Amino acid sequence: MEQKDLLKEIISHCKEYGFVFPSSEIYDGLAATYDYGQLGAELKNNIKTYWWKSMTQLNSNIVGLDSAIFMHPTIWKASGHVDAFNDPLIDNKDSKKRYRADVLLEEYLEKQTQKIQKEVEKGEKRFGDSFDKEQFIATNPNVLRIKEKQGQVQERMKTALNDSNLEDLRQLIIDLEIVCPISGSKNWTEVRQFNLMFSTSLGSVAGESATIYLRPETAQGIFVNFLNVQKSGRMKIPFGIAQIGKAFRNEIVARQFIFRMREFEQMEMQFFVKPGEELTWYEHWKEVRRKWHLNLGLGEKNYRFHDHIKLAHYANAACDIEFNFPMGFKELEGIHSRTDFDLKQHELHSGKKLHYFDPSTNESFVPYVVETSVGLDRLFLSVLSASYTEETLEDGSERTVLKIPAALAPYKIAILPLIKKDGLPEKAQEIMRMLQLEYTIQYDEKDSIGKRYRRQDAIGTPFAITIDHETLENNSVTIRNRDTMIQERIAIESLPAFLNTHCSWPSILGALV
């Protein structure tokens, strides 16, 4: 299946089975907003739990926080969001569509990377087992020509973005002959900056003094609570503060399903370190987060690191973990060395001292910060993208299956009495009661057992337990594996141990310890 078709299939599948619905659909919807359905809410909560447990439960020096969405407006002045939280946008005059100028250029660079990959694939076919990929990339004239052009474009793009030179940004788009994906034309407007924050009024009287903002990120709630957490928790540097929460951005260009929305959820951790040690910890967290993603089993080839062309005003190092979504490699998680910018800015604007005193060295200093920030909605989409599979079976029939990591699946188990009589439903209910304190379970007795298996495949349930007449004779059941469709007989008393091995939290977190 082509990547562009995969996204359409996922969107359709999400609505049909209760993962994600268009928001306000009975009123014709609201652009770039979505509601998570009954299965989507379960999957989303499981992803949160995986992140939260790995961050806080497996790290004795990382604790959690849940800060308010509404915050004092001066916080956003201090953080730079009021003055600098902008996107460079450009319109195509023929299609009337609006795009982020930097994204158009990044997509151009990605196409050049794909050209290099095609050259590599040609080389592999030509030279077979003797093919040396590294030598080929280092010596092939076509590859070298493409890489040289990439480097030139990246340098021009970096300079234009760092200098906020919007005219140069537009000129680069024109020089590269980038066309509008809709109209195919090169008829571009000037590039303009748009601030992304939503503003609202606090209290009953609207006015400049009453203007506050919906938070555009969760990180600032951590920074302004730095001392509260450090002192109340007796935390010693290095230590981290983790938070999961909603954030809001007035994205002018919001598309590609739940990849880019105006209301979204972030999972962020700010790690406070001694000045001078931040880049060591930056490399540490890059590796930790890489292992965390790979532990999901979605395929190593689907991930890559991408160093930022333009560093944010607060960073001295930054990269993204990108995932191969249906629309290509896109940012999934950001890892940033934020220096001491945030805490110093809040000291300046609040008049409060935000130093850490180290009793072992008798030093007082403003800590540096290393941040890991992953978009929950994007992670949700990455899991679905890698899990969605259409298979043709040996008998010629087809099935659609979501091969979601078992610990994250909305339902861990389906309880299926073979028929609706002879005491089988009663026995099935007994088994369900035995397991439901530990696992999410769906009970289903409607239709043939084959159709019920297909329904569970489609929603990603890793194991189906079938209760038949033999169950009543010897207290055993058939347990079916979603991915392999292999069925085995197992004693009812062995079910807890089996499920603990295959779909409990220890089963997925164990590799991270």
Side-chain angles (χ1 to χ4, degrees):
M1 185 186 304
E2 290 188 15
Q3 289 287 75
K4 61 182 180 181
D5 296 327
L6 176 58
L7 184 59
K8 291 180 180 178
E9 292 295 330
I10 289 173
I11 293 171
S12 175
H13 195 86
C14 280
K15 184 177 180 183
E16 181 179 357
Y17 288 98
F19 283 90
V20 183
F21 306 128
S23 185
S24 312
E25 187 176 22
I26 64 172
Y27 291 97
D28 297 324
L30 184 65
T33 57
Y34 291 89
D35 299 331
Y36 285 83
Q38 64 276 21
L39 295 185
E42 290 289 344
L43 174 57
K44 197 176 184 185
N45 283 332
N46 289 340
I47 293 172
K48 288 184 195 179
T49 300
Y50 174 52
W51 184 89
W52 189 262
K53 282 180 174 289
S54 65
M55 274 295 178
T56 62
Q57 197 167 318
L58 302 187
N59 292 284
S60 60
N61 61 343
I62 298 177
V63 295
L65 181 74
D66 184 6
S67 64
I69 288 173
F70 292 126
M71 303 171 73
H72 195 286
T74 307
I75 288 173
W76 305 113
K77 182 70 175 176
S79 67
H81 284 82
V82 171
D83 298 319
F85 194 52
N86 305 307
D87 271 349
L89 301 183
I90 189 169
D91 295 89
N92 183 267
K93 296 178 181 178
D94 297 317
S95 68
K96 312 299 183 188
K97 294 293 183 181
R98 182 166 289 169
Y99 303 91
R100 277 180 53 178
D102 56 331
V103 170
L104 286 176
L105 291 168
E106 286 169 357
E107 289 175 347
Y108 172 87
L109 290 169
E110 175 60 23
K111 288 178 182 177
Q112 304 310 304
T113 300
Q114 291 172 5
K115 287 182 180 179
I116 292 174
Q117 182 58 33
K118 287 181 181 179
E119 292 292 336
V120 170
E121 290 171 0
K122 290 179 185 176
E124 288 175 336
K125 289 180 181 179
R126 181 179 175 186
F127 296 107
D129 294 339
S130 64
F131 180 70
D132 187 327
K133 182 178 178 179
E134 290 185 7
Q135 183 181 11
F136 181 84
I137 291 174
T139 58
N140 181 268
N142 290 338
V143 171
L144 292 175
R145 185 169 59 252
I146 296 170
K147 288 177 72 70
E148 182 183 6
K149 187 171 184 179
Q150 269 186 317
Q152 293 170 351
V153 172
Q154 286 176 333
E155 190 58 34
R156 283 186 64 184
M157 181 180 171
K158 179 179 179 181
T159 301
L161 288 170
N162 286 334
D163 295 345
S164 296
N165 192 326
L166 303 184
E167 178 53 41
D168 281 1
L169 209 57
R170 177 179 184 270
Q171 190 59 49
L172 181 55
I173 289 172
I174 292 171
D175 291 347
L176 295 174
E177 298 185 336
I178 293 175
V179 301
C180 168
I182 305 297
S183 67
S185 81
K186 308 167 192 172
N187 194 10
W188 298 108
T189 64
E190 302 300 313
V191 178
R192 292 172 291 166
Q193 293 280 23
F194 286 83
N195 192 280
L196 301 179
M197 284 200 295
F198 283 108
S199 63
T200 186
S201 296
L202 183 67
S204 58
V205 180
E208 188 65 31
S209 61
T211 298
I212 61 170
Y213 302 96
L214 294 176
R215 65 182 181 193
E217 65 176 24
T218 59
Q220 298 307 318
I222 294 176
F223 295 130
V224 298
N225 279 292
F226 162 69
L227 277 186
N228 286 333
V229 173
Q230 189 269 315
K231 289 181 177 179
S232 63
R234 298 186 299 162
M235 307 298 294
K236 294 181 179 180
I237 278 183
F239 74 91
I241 302 176
Q243 178 168 221
I244 299 175
K246 292 268 187 162
F248 307 84
R249 296 180 184 178
N250 189 18
E251 297 279 4
I252 307 300
V253 183
R255 55 172 69 100
Q256 295 175 326
F257 193 34
I258 58 174
F259 180 81
R260 189 181 300 280
M261 299 188 292
R262 296 186 173 97
E263 175 187 342
F264 56 97
E265 240 173 316
Q266 290 180 304
M267 303 188 294
E268 295 195 323
M269 192 277 294
Q270 308 298 327
F271 198 71
F272 299 91
V273 304
K274 191 173 182 178
E277 297 180 358
E278 72 277 2
L279 294 182
T280 299
W281 281 108
Y282 170 74
E283 294 298 331
H284 167 83
W285 282 107
K286 280 177 65 177
E287 180 60 17
V288 169
R289 297 306 299 154
R290 184 188 72 86
K291 287 181 178 178
W292 186 90
H293 285 285
L294 293 180
N295 191 49
L296 286 170
L298 304 183
E300 187 169 0
K301 69 181 186 303
N302 284 322
Y303 298 93
R304 72 183 186 190
F305 277 108
H306 171 69
D307 291 323
H308 283 203
I309 294 176
K310 178 191 177 184
L311 290 178
H313 59 278
Y314 52 74
N316 65 355
C319 71
D320 295 330
I321 296 176
E322 295 185 332
F323 185 82
N324 189 19
F325 289 99
M327 51 281 189
F329 276 96
K330 301 281 186 181
E331 177 190 352
L332 176 60
E333 174 162 2
I335 303 166
H336 313 109
S337 175
R338 296 182 74 121
T339 69
D340 58 358
F341 172 84
D342 299 277
L343 292 180
K344 280 192 171 179
Q345 283 293 104
H346 290 306
E347 277 196 335
L348 176 66
H349 285 78
S350 70
K352 305 295 192 305
K353 191 175 181 180
L354 297 177
H355 280 52
Y356 171 81
F357 178 73
D358 188 344
S360 64
T361 61
N362 214 28
E363 291 180 280
S364 179
F365 55 85
V366 177
Y368 273 45
V369 179
V370 176
E371 170 187 71
T372 76
S373 176
V374 57
L376 174 56
D377 307 277
R378 292 184 179 187
L379 190 53
F380 183 102
L381 182 57
S382 74
V383 170
L384 287 184
S385 300
S387 302
Y388 184 89
T389 310
E390 294 179 354
E391 295 179 344
T392 300
L393 306 179
E394 291 182 0
D395 62 1
S397 64
E398 296 180 348
R399 73 165 183 158
T400 298
V401 55
L402 291 182
K403 297 184 178 181
I404 299 170
L408 302 187
Y411 291 110
K412 306 297 185 292
I413 313 155
I415 302 287
L416 314 174
L418 187 63
I419 57 175
K420 293 190 287 184
K421 59 181 181 178
D422 298 341
L424 300 187
E426 290 77 10
K427 189 64 175 179
Q429 293 282 351
E430 178 186 321
I431 294 171
M432 186 171 77
R433 286 192 295 271
M434 180 183 80
L435 299 174
Q436 66 186 166
L437 288 178
E438 290 288 338
Y439 304 102
T440 48
I441 298 173
Q442 186 169 79
Y443 179 89
D444 190 1
E445 59 181 27
K446 182 182 178 182
D447 295 327
S448 69
I449 193 68
K451 287 183 178 179
R452 283 182 275 169
Y453 283 154
R454 289 292 174 269
R455 271 202 298 271
Q456 297 304 322
D457 290 343
I459 65 175
T461 307
F463 298 103
I465 296 173
T466 303
I467 293 83
D468 54 22
H469 292 91
E470 188 178 341
T471 304
L472 303 179
E473 297 171 6
N474 60 17
N475 262 351
S476 69
V477 294
T478 298
I479 190 162
R480 174 185 181 269
N481 184 296
R482 174 198 66 198
D483 298 341
T484 64
M485 295 186 294
I486 292 174
Q487 301 182 34
E488 61 178 302
R489 203 78 194 177
I490 185 171
I492 291 174
E493 64 183 21
S494 300
L495 283 173
F498 177 92
L499 295 169
N500 183 65
T501 299
H502 291 91
C503 56
S504 65
W505 286 116
S507 72
I508 191 171
L509 291 170
L512 300 176
V513 176

